[in-house]
Amino acid sequence: KQEVTQIPAALSVPEGENLVLNCSFTDSAIYNLQWFRQDPGKGLTSLLLIQSSQREQTSGRLNASLDKSSGRSTLYIAASQPGDSATYLCAVRGDSSYKLIFGSGTRLLVRP
Amino acid sequence: SAVISQKPSRDICQRGTSLTIQCQVDSQVTMMFWYRQQPGQSLTLIATANQGSEATYESGFVIDKFPISRPNLTFSTLTVSNMSPEDSSIYLCSVLGGVDGSYEQYFGPGTRLTVT
């Protein structure tokens, strides 16, 4: 059974810092991995999608990497801003299922 | 990408009553999903709804409690029946999209339900 873990659970950084959020999964037989952002009480916004054959994806100040064999993904946020404050969720899709399995999220606070 | 809307955005309901949540997508999609997010928790899949077939429920969720309709390729409803305070959650509609089999998943804004 796939399990997804995100570390740290919460993170507080001053504005301008570069930071890394971690995601690990127990079953390496994945189809893809998706990073989402969730603002309090809101839905999820898709940030980056990485297919199992890819090593990384970039969008603006965000870069996500994937090491399928070791069951790890990282989300790198460059030059953090207060507007980046949100919960970041990692989710994996198995290669034999349409289901997304979510981690518990990292709650990020970027202080001005 | 797919644009998803949900109604209502939030509601406060009394225990024992039922609430139907609507999900509308701006394009035709085969697979729609309903998720629940309890306070302070991550997302849990309730069921998968494909047009023209019965919804498939995950372990711990039953049709009598969470009946789902999927009348066409752009619309679905989830009903939360005989509500109790434990049903207080955010309910999210989601669709599977993406081009060329990329299977990117998109989410609606959610319905925040409080049961008193």
Side-chain angles (χ1 to χ4, degrees):
Chain A
K1 179 186 172 185
Q2 179 74 273
E3 293 183 359
V4 181
T5 303
Q6 292 187 246
I7 294 173
L11 185 61
S12 178
V13 300
E15 181 177 4
E17 272 204 9
N18 302 324
L19 55 99
V20 175
L21 308 182
N22 296 292
C23 172
S24 62
F25 45 95
T26 55
D27 185 351
S28 63
I30 66 168
Y31 188 89
N32 59 28
L33 181 147
Q34 212 167 338
W35 282 94
F36 295 91
R37 168 187 172 138
Q38 185 177 31
D39 292 290
K42 305 294 185 183
L44 276 65
T45 300
S46 179
L47 298 174
L48 288 164
L49 171 70
I50 309 179
Q51 303 299 334
S52 62
S53 59
Q54 297 175 324
R55 296 287 292 183
E56 66 177 341
Q57 284 286 339
T58 298
S59 177
R61 293 183 294 109
L62 304 180
N63 175 277
S65 68
L66 173 65
D67 184 342
K68 198 173 82 162
S69 60
S70 67
R72 294 180 184 178
S73 177
T74 61
L75 179 66
Y76 175 83
I77 303 176
S80 59
Q81 304 170 358
D84 295 330
S85 299
T87 296
Y88 290 80
L89 292 159
C90 166
V92 300
R93 186 186 318 281
D95 61 8
S96 60
S97 169
Y98 291 112
K99 286 171 51 174
L100 266 186
I101 306 299
F102 281 85
S104 53
T106 294
R107 193 169 62 253
L108 173 65
L109 174 65
V110 181
R111 308 186 304 272
Chain B
S1 64
V3 178
I4 305 170
S5 60
Q6 287 184 232
K7 289 182 183 179
S9 59
R10 59 174 60 217
D11 208 341
I12 301 173
C13 302
Q14 291 191 342
R15 71 174 66 205
T17 63
S18 298
L19 176 72
T20 296
I21 303 168
Q22 299 180 6
C23 176
Q24 180 76 51
V25 189
D26 70 341
S27 58
Q28 294 185 337
V29 292
T30 301
M31 302 191 75
M32 294 180 78
F33 307 88
W34 287 98
Y35 285 82
R36 180 176 75 180
Q37 187 176 31
Q38 294 176 300
Q41 304 295 314
S42 191
L43 279 74
T44 301
L45 180 63
I46 297 172
T48 302
N50 293 333
Q51 194 266 339
S53 63
E54 294 289 325
T56 302
Y57 290 83
E58 297 299 305
S59 175
F61 297 96
V62 295
I63 187 171
D64 290 347
K65 176 68 175 177
F66 297 101
I68 289 171
S69 78
R70 182 78 200 275
N72 57 51
L73 291 174
T74 63
F75 187 80
S76 178
T77 67
L78 169 76
T79 299
V80 186
S81 303
N82 188 25
M83 288 184 285
S84 66
E86 291 71 34
D87 294 320
S88 297
S89 299
I90 299 175
Y91 292 86
L92 296 126
C93 173
S94 177
V95 303
L96 194 59
V99 297
D100 299 330
S102 64
Y103 291 153
E104 185 165 7
Q105 197 145 339
Y106 304 99
F107 284 80
T111 296
R112 180 187 283 272
L113 170 62
T114 302
V115 184
T116 61

